[in-house]
Amino acid sequence: MMAHYALHTDRLAEMAPMLRAGDTVHLTGTVYTARDAAHKRIVEAMDTGAPLPFDLDGAAIYYAGPTPAKPGQTIGSVGPTTSGRMDPYAPRLMEAGLKCMIGKGVRSQAVADSMAKNGCVYMVAIGGAGAVKAASVEALEVVAYEDLGCESVKRLTVKDFYAIVAMDCQGGSLYRDGAAAYRRS
């Protein structure tokens, strides 16, 4: 049975193992944006012992590259990008404590295995709804890799950021299970 959660990001480490594929979530708290170029730099920093741009322990990363804000806005459009581009890096980040990834699209088996091992959850945001997602962002701060422009790492303060659990750390997957249920109907 699917459930709905109003969840503060401070509770992700505790709650990620309880979330199931198909659950819906309204996240409030801190979410970081990072795409593939930022992920590559984060993993390089891990490899060299350099400081990380933010504490990965218990963190949530939204795979997005927000557009610049128009006057009077906190952020421009902030729609999800294809998550598979982060698959080469995601297991390392989960090993360091990452508890939530948000994006769109299917993930690799290596990512699913790492999610199970590390108690992490993958949520999807609706593609094409970047302006709607922007309404959930109350504050934005660039925290690393400013030279990457819209793909720099940003700390977002979000309120009621809507997402759907697509893959859980128990092996549940909307991509697999949802498609199978559809074929049966």
Side-chain angles (χ1 to χ4, degrees), residues 70-125:
K70 293 179 182 173
Q73 294 180 325
T74 303
I75 194 170
S77 181
V78 63
T81 196
T82 304
S83 301
R85 292 198 319 262
M86 275 50 75
D87 284 3
Y89 311 106
R92 286 287 305 280
L93 276 59
M94 286 185 268
E95 289 168 12
L98 181 67
K99 291 300 174 193
C100 178
M101 302 168 287
I102 307 165
K104 67 178 182 181
V106 180
R107 306 305 297 270
S108 70
Q109 187 61 50
V111 169
D113 293 346
S114 186
M115 289 171 56
K117 178 182 174 187
N118 295 292
C120 186
V121 65
Y122 172 57
M123 300 181 192
V124 291

Side-chain angles (χ1 to χ4, degrees), residues 6 36 42 44-45 47 57 60 125 140 142 167 172:
D36 38 330
I42 292 168
E44 287 171 352
D47 289 344
D57 191 32
L140 174 152
V142 176
M167 295 171 67

Side-chain angles (χ1 to χ4, degrees), residues 100-172:
C100 178
M101 302 168 287
I102 307 165
K104 67 178 182 181
V106 180
R107 306 305 297 270
S108 70
Q109 187 61 50
V111 169
D113 293 346
S114 186
M115 289 171 56
K117 178 182 174 187
N118 295 292
C120 186
V121 65
Y122 172 57
M123 300 181 192
V124 291
I126 305 301
V132 173
K133 289 292 174 216
S136 298
V137 178
E138 296 183 329
L140 174 152
E141 177 188 4
V142 176
V143 295
Y145 317 135
E146 192 167 358
D147 61 301
L148 295 177
C150 71
E151 294 189 34
S152 62
V153 175
K154 296 169 184 66
R155 179 184 302 115
L156 305 182
T157 303
V158 299
K159 182 176 181 183
D160 295 329
F161 183 97
Y162 180 78
I164 302 164
V165 178
M167 295 171 67
D168 62 45
C169 59
Q170 305 300 320

